[in-house]
Amino acid sequence: MLGRTLFVALTAAVLACHAAPKQQKLVDGVTNIKPEEQQMLVAKEVVNLIENYNYKKIQLNDSISSVIFDKYLKTLDGSKNYFLSSDIKEFEKFRYSLDDDFRNGDLSAPFYMYNVYMKRFDQWLKFSMGQINAKFDFTGNETFTYDREKLPYLSTQEELNKLWKQRFKYELLNLRIAGGTDAKNTQTLTTRYKNLQTQSAKTNSQDVFQVLMNAFTESIDPHTNYFTPPNATAFNEDMARSFEGIGARLQLENDVIKIAEIIPGGPAFKSKQLYQGDRIIGVAQGQTEFLDLTGWRLDEAVSKIKGPKGTKVRLKIIPVGMELSAKPRIIELTRDRVVLEDQSAKKKVKTVTENGKQYKIGIIEVPAFYADFKAANAGDPNYKSTTRDVRLLLDTLKNRDKVDAILMDLRSNGGGSLLEAIELTGLFIDKGPVVQVKDLRGKIDVQSDEKAGVSWDGPMGVMIDRLSASASEIFSGAIQDYGRGIILGTQTYGKGTVQSAIDLNRVLNASILQRFAALVNKKNTTGTGTAENPQLGQINLTMAKFYRVNGSSTQHKGVMPDVVFPSIYPLDKIGEDTEPSALPWDEVAASGFKPVADLRNVKAALVKMHNERMAKSLDYKFLNEDIAEMKKRDAEQSITLNQAALKQERDEAEARNQRRINELRAARGLPPVKKGERPKDDDYDFIQDESLRVMADFMGQSGSYVMNLPGMKKF
């Protein structure tokens, strides 16, 4: 992917002296987790990649080491509930040495820090278990400070015990207010803490390494990320919206693997032998011996049940409703490619009436910009991708549903494939630049839609919010710059960087990996390969920055909508401009694009009509009140442990919410609901509904602009 230069650099690094790491200090009272050989190699190679190929061209130094140190500490104990100030004082000796340690592949210091964290975490669990049968007074004026981020670390174990006691008391108070009996509450808390103890005991070096590498890479920039082998697989499957396996979602319940969902169309679904709630207690590959899965980590069990298309797997099943002591049923399945349709683009049609005229509008919800590159590269003509899915939906909406307009819903769409953003834009514009990409050498590449014609030439809008990022911003920015449609919602996230996914096993050739494997004389049991076949994981490295066709970067600023809605997400806490390590905003020269329409006057008219509706809207009024209430709650750091006071506060909030629900239902002609009743006849989406009305206004303005698309003069 990165060419000969990258390969040579990595090869040289691997062949360098394999220095032994410092002796890792052991922590009493816990099973000490230590780094694996391949993790030490990965740390060195990630440093090499970042220093030579990251867009920032940054060199690790003491200053960066300090940032990594602080971010790692915050990840472990951001609320300062576990570490003592003496722990932090001891850790300080590592503050300015992590850069050198990473460069040398020495992970002993951060792993030691994690083991201290595990000791404190286990102490908290044992302390909490000891409080299960204690008696508490909930009538006093005591408060619990749950947000301690800006407070100092506590100095003594006695202070920690007091904090932990208040935390336990708050958990118990929540159960009491919810109406649980003392016996039921005791059972709930006992189960909760035992489950936490079980999961804590299953923590392995891959878990620690992932946390550490997150702190490392995010200190460089927010979107350079390393993935351990299991997490790399999950990331790529999410991008592909497909995977190879049996087609079931699994969960861990009391140390037993349970089927949470059967995915339609997969082998499990077609076999009619597996059902939601069944327990899997054993797995065998083909006709080999069964492995007992009881007590396994979920990710390790999944790795044994999944497998390549065409291979066979046998499962020992305890059917739902039967005791675990029942005789298991054995079934055999042939694994296949499973497509996740529920996470793909979907459509629906809504009808809206404005000014006495009725419009049919097709809504396409796009959850991500996904593509199954593996299937595409293998020549599969039916590979999964956002553009392919949306093209089919547009064809149905246009020819069967006969819609008047299209509304693309990109809310909470965090992005994905840059290529898909370009190709999706091409469904709505006729050939032309879509995005400009500047690489780490400063070279600018204008990437265009090269296919003539459009799939939809009618009116369109795009819904965005603060969680719309990256590819979503490329698409919505291009639609806005071309004057192709109306952008509705809130300011987007502001991610204007491009990452390249690098499989570390691919950039190191087989002979190099074999020489490294020779240094390791043991089997690896954490799902990361063996000494003969070490798996190194994947890094998504920031190597470029993208710009809109008008020359503006979306970095920090994002895309500003034409019609603005209040943001339910706090703009001062979520977004690229809140990330200290983010790249700054800048701009380049505009590309040679030709807008298809000038919508400035139309947009002004749409904003005016929108504001007039909002001035009378009860939904809009309540939305703004909710946002103000969230800001108020977010500023709070403590809560009362007085049961009567807390119950009154929550009862009042519940009653207020109940009144508002029924006010809104009455405004929509729906009957009121009783306290505690969940309305099943109201799936109302205020933001979407108002966006549909703006689209109706847009179509009502058709005589005031010309849309220059092939074979089309006016909407």
Side-chain angles (χ1 to χ4, degrees), residues 366 369 386-387 390-391 394 408 410 419-429 475:
V366 183
F369 287 79
T386 298
T387 304
V390 171
R391 184 184 289 112
L394 286 171
M408 300 289 288
L410 269 58
L419 179 61
E420 285 301 311
I422 296 167
E423 293 191 348
L424 186 68
T425 305
L427 299 183
F428 301 95
I429 67 168
F475 176 80

Side-chain angles (χ1 to χ4, degrees), residues 7 41 56 77 89 118 141 186 203-204 284 293 310 324 383 414 418-419 428 447 476-478 552 579 600 617 622 632:
F7 169 74
L41 173 64
K56 278 187 171 181
D77 188 16
K89 184 177 180 179
M118 288 300 296
N141 296 320
T186 297
T203 302
N204 63 32
L293 294 181
L324 283 173
Y383 73 90
L418 176 65
L419 179 61
F428 301 95
Q447 300 192 17
S476 56
S552 174
E579 297 284 353
R600 283 176 294 183
S617 170
F622 286 166
K632 177 185 174 184

Side-chain angles (χ1 to χ4, degrees), residues 247-507:
R249 289 191 174 94
L250 307 178
Q251 67 183 61
L252 193 65
E253 186 177 275
N254 298 325
D255 270 357
V256 178
I257 305 299
K258 178 180 175 182
I259 295 179
E261 181 186 355
I262 301 294
I263 299 171
F269 179 83
K270 293 176 181 176
S271 75
K272 301 188 184 302
Q273 298 181 81
L274 280 176
Y275 299 92
Q276 183 176 334
D278 287 352
R279 279 72 49 84
I280 303 176
I281 62 170
V283 61
Q285 311 305 319
Q287 297 305 310
T288 62
E289 292 293 320
F290 274 96
L291 293 173
D292 184 353
L293 294 181
T294 304
W296 279 42
R297 285 167 54 105
L298 181 61
D299 56 347
E300 293 175 2
V302 167
S303 71
K304 298 297 182 184
I305 296 170
K306 288 171 62 176
K309 176 181 177 180
T311 58
K312 294 186 183 297
V313 62
R314 289 187 298 144
L315 304 173
K316 276 186 182 179
I317 303 297
I318 302 294
V320 59
M322 297 184 66
E323 295 294 330
L324 283 173
S325 58
K327 182 179 179 179
R329 199 160 45 86
I330 297 178
I331 69 169
E332 183 177 275
L333 296 172
T334 300
R335 300 176 176 110
D336 202 353
R337 180 168 170 262
V338 180
V339 177
L340 301 174
E341 294 292 353
D342 63 327
Q343 297 176 29
S344 305
K346 304 181 192 66
K347 76 169 182 72
K348 58 185 175 183
V349 178
K350 295 276 189 175
T351 301
V352 61
T353 302
E354 281 294 309
N355 299 320
K357 190 170 182 180
Q358 199 173 71
Y359 300 96
K360 285 178 71 176
I361 301 175
I363 303 170
I364 300 179
E365 297 174 356
V366 183
F369 287 79
Y370 50 87
D372 190 345
F373 295 114
K374 181 179 178 181
N377 293 334
D380 184 347
N382 298 312
Y383 73 90
K384 191 79 173 165
S385 85
T386 298
T387 304
R388 292 165 64 89
D389 288 347
V390 171
R391 184 184 289 112
L392 291 173
L393 295 176
L394 286 171
D395 184 64
T396 302
L397 289 167
K398 179 169 60 176
N399 298 311
R400 189 185 71 187
D401 298 317
K402 307 291 184 184
V403 299
D404 301 301
I406 295 294
L407 183 60
M408 300 289 288
D409 190 345
L410 269 58
R411 289 177 295 174
S412 298
N413 182 322
S417 166
L418 176 65
L419 179 61
E420 285 301 311
I422 296 167
E423 293 191 348
L424 186 68
T425 305
L427 299 183
F428 301 95
I429 67 168
D430 179 46
K431 294 179 71 173
V434 174
V435 63
Q436 304 184 81
V437 180
K438 183 166 73 172
D439 65 20
L440 53 91
R441 296 167 297 178
K443 180 182 177 182
I444 297 174
D445 177 31
V446 179
Q447 300 192 17
S448 304
D449 165 44
E450 302 291 350
K451 296 178 182 177
V454 295
S455 293
W456 175 258
D457 59 7
M460 73 170 295
V462 183
M463 296 177 65
I464 55 175
D465 65 10
R466 188 60 164 176
L467 300 186
S468 303
S470 192
S472 292
E473 295 172 297
I474 293 173
F475 176 80
S476 56
I479 295 299
Q480 188 177 59
D481 291 341
Y482 272 90
R484 180 60 187 88
I486 300 298
I487 312 300
L488 312 107
T490 58
Q491 181 185 15
T492 57
Y493 191 89
K495 178 186 177 293
T497 56
V498 185
Q499 286 70 45
S500 294
I502 303 170
D503 182 343
L504 295 178
N505 279 70
R506 288 185 178 273
V507 295

